[in-house]
């Protein structure tokens, strides 16, 4: 069996102390996650983050930095993910845009509101990325080389 990590991107979007999260259906339950997804062929990491954010939330955003790069093995299936987490500011919401089929909706939560619902986290990376964003440092986008 060949081991192959999955490359993913996620985006932390903050507005006035609240963070844009998605509710997505995983294993027959609604969980909370940052807008996130897999890198596609012929796509840069930045392009993937912008695309996934728009597809999952209906928001155009401007990437402002890199929060971190995370290696995570999901206990549910043993799959290893390498997540590149970006920070972004919201620019424009397309309220009439259809969201990805596994996204039930979006919501803005404070860090405390998210912390109060650990049973709903998609993974431990959800609060960890927000905490790393809040505690810094935020790395410049130039650290990502296409």
């Amino acid at each position: 069996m060949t081991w192959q990590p999955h490359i993913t991107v996620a985006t932390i979007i903050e507005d006035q102390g609240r963070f844009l999260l998605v509710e997505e259906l995983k294993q027959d339950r609604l969980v909370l996650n940052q807008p996130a997804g897999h890198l596609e062929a012929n796509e840069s990491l930045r392009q993937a983050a912008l695309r996934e954010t728009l597809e999952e939330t209906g928001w155009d955003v401007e990437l402002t930095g890199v929060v971190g790069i995370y290696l995570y093995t999901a206990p549910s299936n043993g799959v290893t993910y390498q997540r590149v987490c970006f920070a972004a500011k919201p620019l424009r919401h397309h309220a009439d845009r259809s969201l990805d089929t596994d996204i039930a909706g979006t919501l803005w939560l404070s860090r405390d509101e998210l912390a109060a619902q650990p049973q709903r986290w998609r993974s431990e990376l959800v609060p960890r990325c927000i905490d790393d964003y809040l505690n810094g440092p935020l790395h410049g986008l130039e650290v990502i080389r296409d």
Side-chain angles (χ1 to χ4, degrees), residues 88-101:
K89 65 179 182 181
L91 297 177
R92 181 174 174 228
H93 186 229
H94 305 274
D96 57 340
R97 182 181 171 90
S98 296
L99 304 181
D100 278 355
T101 56

Side-chain angles (χ1 to χ4, degrees), residues 29-43:
R29 66 185 190 103
L30 282 178
V31 295
L32 298 172
N33 198 9
Q34 281 89 27
H38 289 82
L39 180 69
E40 294 183 356
N42 302 312
E43 183 177 54

Side-chain angles (χ1 to χ4, degrees), residues 58-127:
W59 278 89
D60 288 321
V61 298
E62 177 185 338
L63 300 178
T64 59
V66 176
V67 175
I69 299 172
Y70 304 83
L71 197 60
Y72 175 77
T73 301
S76 61
N77 60 12
V79 173
T80 299
Y81 299 89
Q82 182 179 38
R83 174 189 262 209
V84 179
C85 186
F86 291 90
K89 65 179 182 181
L91 297 177
R92 181 174 174 228
H93 186 229
H94 305 274
D96 57 340
R97 182 181 171 90
S98 296
L99 304 181
D100 278 355
T101 56
D102 57 344
I103 302 297
T106 62
L107 61 163
W108 292 87
L109 295 177
S110 69
R111 173 61 178 90
D112 290 341
E113 290 168 331
L114 177 65
Q117 305 177 60
Q119 72 284 359
R120 294 194 64 207
W121 302 341
R122 168 89 187 255
S123 77
E124 299 80 30
L125 288 180
V126 176

